Amino acid sequence: MTVVIVGGVAGGASCAARLRRLDETAEIIMIDREPYVSYATCGLPYFISEEITDRSKLTLQTPQSFKSRFNIDVRVKEEVTKIDRTAKTVTVKKLEGGEEYTINYDKLVLSPGAKPIRPPLPGIENDRIFTLRGIPDADKIKAFIAEKKPKKAVVIGAGFIGLEVAEGLHRIGIEVVVIEKLDHVLGPFDFDMACDLHHHIRSKNVSLKLNTGVTGFVTKPSGIGIDIGTEVIDADFVLLSVGVRPESILAKEAGVALNPFGRIAVNENLRTDDEHIYAIGDAIEITDFVAKDKVWIPLAGPANRQGRIVADNLAGQKTHYSGAIGSSIVRVFDMTAGCVGLNERRCQALKLNYEKVFTYTAAHAGYFPGSTMMSVKLLFEKGTGTIYGAQIVGFEGIDKRLDVLATAIHGKMKVTDLTELELTYAPPFGSAKDVVNMVGYVAENVLQGKVEQFFWHDVKCLEEKKEFIIDVRTKAEYDNGHLATSVHLPLDSLRTTINEKPDTLPKDRVIYVHCQSGLRSYIACRMLTQKGYKCKNLAGGWRLLNSVTKEVQSGPSHQLPCGAKPLN
């Protein structure tokens, strides 16, 4: 059996190595137009930041090592230009010299990846505009920095790569402006969970311009101008990171079925509509594990798993791909942000009957030095408690909590199951009630009707309607900032107030309660409910409300008119 693999980074290399481990007799040929195969794309921003100084560390395998260890024929600087499905051949062009030849295949694996989007804007061909997708791109950026000694850069696009490069450039002393067309950084996150990141990025003296589109570029004598409509920002160079599109032209020209967005359509075995052609990685559409609809998730983890699954099928093992949940994490200066599963916008678009909770919990025992807080948002199905998705932002321990939640989603667990998880504990690493347990407890309370919630996007309307709002924080906290219409009734004196001055609180109206994070106000609500009062608790508390409100004041309002359903 002759297997030709087009593309040799995450998916292609994983497929080739796995196939060889399963079948020693197969002839495996892997072709890539770049000079490198099997390299760590995700490490490129850290090579630019000089945290990774040895470029060879980014290359996991070479053509020579593939040959000596796996007996795989790797051909770099060559491009597959045509697929003849009838003859079962591919036409290959040597990029150095232009010579063409054909290869017969029994099975073909397409792993062409995706390429950076370069929108057709005036001045887009300026040689000071860079993208970052492979090692050659990183080399160009590094060479430019070494030669030109730039003082200022503009990063267009505040996704994962954009923020990683922005941090890297800032680390090596370059002034950075980040421009993002959306109202928040990191598209897979919800606006309310991105606000802490906005404040943190700006605290590093990085200019963050949200809700801002670029209309063109202007060539300057010693730099480049970025036109955003209201002004032209001068810089020495630009990193363009506005997304990628699938490299599916080869499949399209061969008549392989694509979806309406140009992504290669595959079945559960990752086979195309041609029984001899499989496809993996950033160029294909896949199934969302949670929602069960078709999505595009161009991430290294899914690509590697897909490569392994295709190898299994080529070797006769009928392995199915169950879909992806989009587990993602990124370092943003000193903070870490991670997400998994569905965000709130997706829940709304899918018309799911969902609920959400927020927690603000210490990463490890508060009495142990160095403890920091993390903000968690959990989305789950009303009634059943099935977990839909989660987002976490904080400073430490984000990865392990998110991995637990990713495992819970894949295991189709419910929020009540989170309360029963026995997770490792010692004061330097966590708490006896771990962050994951705590978000489970909060969700369980909501699910079981022990507390009703209201949210940050409801507050403006509640104030306009002059609803009864109480703040149960301490006097010092209240004096440091509070809602103008709120009544201050500290939690520790609330029981006395209820018993001795019951008329202070109305029994014919809903009492809206908040504290700093939502915990003390939950205690207050339990107290009030058992005394016959109607009570709702502010999810995420004053801390989340304050973080979001600062951002709303500097951009479009997410606090919609009374009666309108918010789109987060």
Side-chain angles (χ1 to χ4, degrees):
M1 178 175 66
T2 298
V3 178
V4 175
I5 301 174
V6 181
V9 189
S14 177
C15 180
R18 171 69 171 174
L19 180 58
R20 174 57 75 223
R21 293 193 295 271
L22 298 176
D23 186 347
E24 186 63 26
T25 66
E27 180 185 15
I28 305 172
I29 303 171
M30 187 161 61
I31 302 169
D32 199 296
R33 62 189 174 204
E34 289 196 15
Y36 309 96
V37 292
S38 189
Y39 60 84
T41 306
C42 298
L44 296 177
Y46 305 105
F47 176 55
I48 291 172
S49 71
E50 299 180 357
E51 292 176 85
I52 297 173
T53 56
D54 185 352
R55 194 184 66 151
S56 66
K57 298 290 186 182
L58 296 170
T59 305
L60 307 178
Q61 295 285 347
T62 65
Q64 295 75 27
S65 67
F66 264 115
K67 184 64 178 176
S68 61
R69 178 170 296 180
F70 298 107
N71 191 29
I72 293 172
D73 181 0
V74 177
R75 306 178 187 184
V76 295
K77 298 182 182 179
E78 298 187 10
E79 182 176 10
V80 175
T81 59
K82 182 180 178 182
I83 301 168
D84 186 330
R85 294 168 55 190
T86 303
K88 292 175 64 177
T89 64
V90 293
T91 301
V92 183
K93 179 180 180 180
K94 295 184 178 181
L95 299 182
E96 294 180 345
E99 177 188 346
E100 290 190 342
Y101 65 96
T102 61
I103 306 174
N104 291 87
Y105 66 83
D106 294 304
K107 299 295 180 182
L108 179 65
V109 180
L110 301 179
S111 182
K115 62 181 178 180
I117 294 172
R118 293 182 72 95
L121 297 173
I124 190 68
E125 299 305 323
N126 191 302
D127 60 8
R128 288 176 179 260
I129 301 174
F130 299 90
T131 57
L132 182 61
R133 189 63 181 171
I135 290 179
D137 296 329
D139 286 342
K140 289 178 183 178
I141 296 170
K142 293 276 284 186
F144 179 88
I145 292 172
E147 178 185 351
K148 302 294 185 181
K149 304 292 190 299
K151 302 294 183 183
K152 183 178 180 180
V154 168
V155 175
I156 302 174
F160 290 84
I161 297 297
L163 290 188
E164 287 172 342
V165 173
E167 179 192 340
L169 296 175
H170 180 271
R171 180 181 287 269
I172 59 176
I174 296 175
E175 180 186 351
V176 181
V177 177
V178 177
I179 298 174
E180 171 55 53
K181 192 172 184 179
L182 300 177
D183 61 3
H184 67 284
V185 302
L186 301 177
F189 285 70
D190 289 319
F191 171 80
D192 45 26
M193 291 300 288
C195 288
D196 283 352
L197 295 172
H198 298 167
H199 307 320
H200 185 66
I201 291 167
R202 291 175 176 132
S203 77
K204 298 297 181 179
N205 294 319
V206 170
S207 176
L208 177 61
K209 295 182 178 294
L210 301 170
N211 302 290
T212 302
V214 173
T215 59
F217 302 94
V218 181
T219 300
K220 301 275 184 164
S222 59
I224 184 171
I226 299 87
D227 191 345
I228 60 172
T230 56
E231 64 174 313
V232 175
I233 301 171
D234 291 335
D236 296 303
F237 73 103
V238 170
L239 189 284
L240 190 63
S241 183
V242 296
V244 295
R245 60 168 54 98
E247 288 264 36
S248 57
I249 186 67
L250 183 66
K252 180 180 180 181
E253 291 178 348
V256 174
L258 308 181
N259 76 359
F261 303 99
R263 302 157 196 163
I264 302 172
V266 294
N267 67 8
E268 61 184 4
N269 303 115
L270 300 172
R271 197 187 71 198
T272 70
D273 62 338
D274 185 314
E275 63 177 320
H276 303 295
I277 302 177
Y278 291 78
I280 54 180
D282 294 355
I284 70 171
E285 70 167 6
I286 60 175
T287 299
D288 185 296
F289 182 85
V290 179
K292 304 304 179 187
D293 60 347
K294 295 296 183 181
V295 293
W296 188 45
I297 302 180
L299 294 172
N304 274 283
R305 289 195 298 279
Q306 292 158 17
R308 183 182 178 92
I309 288 169
V310 166
D312 285 352
N313 282 279
L314 292 174
Q317 301 178 18
K318 296 301 180 183
T319 306
H320 297 166
Y321 184 60
S322 60
I325 56 177
S327 301
S328 306
I329 194 166
V330 62
R331 188 186 73 189
V332 183
F333 295 94
D334 305 316
M335 296 192 84
T336 303
C339 62
V340 62
L342 306 182
N343 58 30
E344 191 168 358
R345 298 190 311 281
R346 281 271 284 149
C347 288
Q348 291 170 343
L350 292 165
K351 295 181 169 46
L352 298 179
N353 187 26
Y354 74 95
E355 184 61 89
K356 60 184 175 183
V357 295
F358 299 86
T359 60
Y360 191 60
T361 318
H364 65 249
Y367 59 81
F368 190 86
S371 182
T372 59
M373 305 296 287
M374 67 174 71
S375 181
V376 183
K377 180 177 185 176
L378 187 71
L379 297 151
F380 56 95
E381 185 177 33
K382 286 184 179 179
T384 69
T386 300
I387 303 169
Y388 284 147
Q391 298 159 50
I392 310 180
V393 177
F395 293 89
E396 62 168 320
I398 310 301
D399 52 346
K400 69 175 183 176
R401 275 55 181 243
L402 201 68
D403 286 343
V404 172
L405 292 170
T407 304
I409 291 173
H410 199 271
K412 300 181 180 179
M413 295 170 65
K414 304 181 187 305
V415 294
T416 49
D417 295 318
L418 301 180
T419 69
E420 299 181 15
L421 294 179
E422 185 178 338
L423 304 174
T424 55
Y425 160 61
F429 305 106
S431 300
K433 295 178 182 177
D434 189 76
V435 171
V436 174
N437 298 135
M438 289 302 296
V439 75
Y441 292 140
V442 174
E444 182 182 59
N445 288 335
V446 172
L447 196 66
Q448 295 178 350
K450 289 185 171 65
V451 67
E452 291 187 54
Q453 299 184 107
F454 68 106
F455 301 96
W456 60 265
H457 45 72
D458 299 320
V459 171
K460 182 178 179 181
C461 177
L462 296 175
E463 289 190 297
E464 288 177 358
K465 294 169 67 175
K466 295 182 170 48
E467 295 288 356
F468 195 86
I469 303 172
I470 65 172
D471 185 332
V472 298
R473 296 177 299 160
T474 66
K475 185 177 185 303
E477 290 174 302
Y478 182 81
D479 290 344
N480 196 43
H482 59 268
L483 293 173
T485 61
S486 64
V487 176
H488 184 221
L489 293 173
L491 175 63
D492 292 343
S493 61
L494 182 59
R495 186 173 284 104
T496 300
T497 300
I498 294 171
N499 292 332
E500 297 181 2
K501 300 178 181 178
D503 292 341
T504 304
L505 301 169
K507 280 199 171 181
D508 59 343
R509 300 174 63 186
V510 175
I511 300 172
Y512 294 88
V513 186
H514 79 83
C515 66
Q516 189 69 13
S517 67
L519 176 57
R520 284 173 289 174
S521 50
Y522 165 69
I523 296 170
C525 266
R526 290 302 303 152
M527 188 187 306
L528 289 165
T529 300
Q530 293 178 77
K531 292 289 186 178
Y533 296 92
K534 300 173 185 177
C535 183
K536 289 190 178 184
N537 182 27
L538 176 59
W542 171 263
R543 192 213 68 81
L544 177 63
L545 174 65
N546 193 40
S547 176
V548 174
T549 301
K550 287 179 182 177
E551 200 63 28
V552 167
Q553 289 172 347
S554 63
S557 177
H558 284 253
Q559 302 192 47
L560 302 179
C562 292
K565 186 174 183 179
L567 290 175
N568 190 0

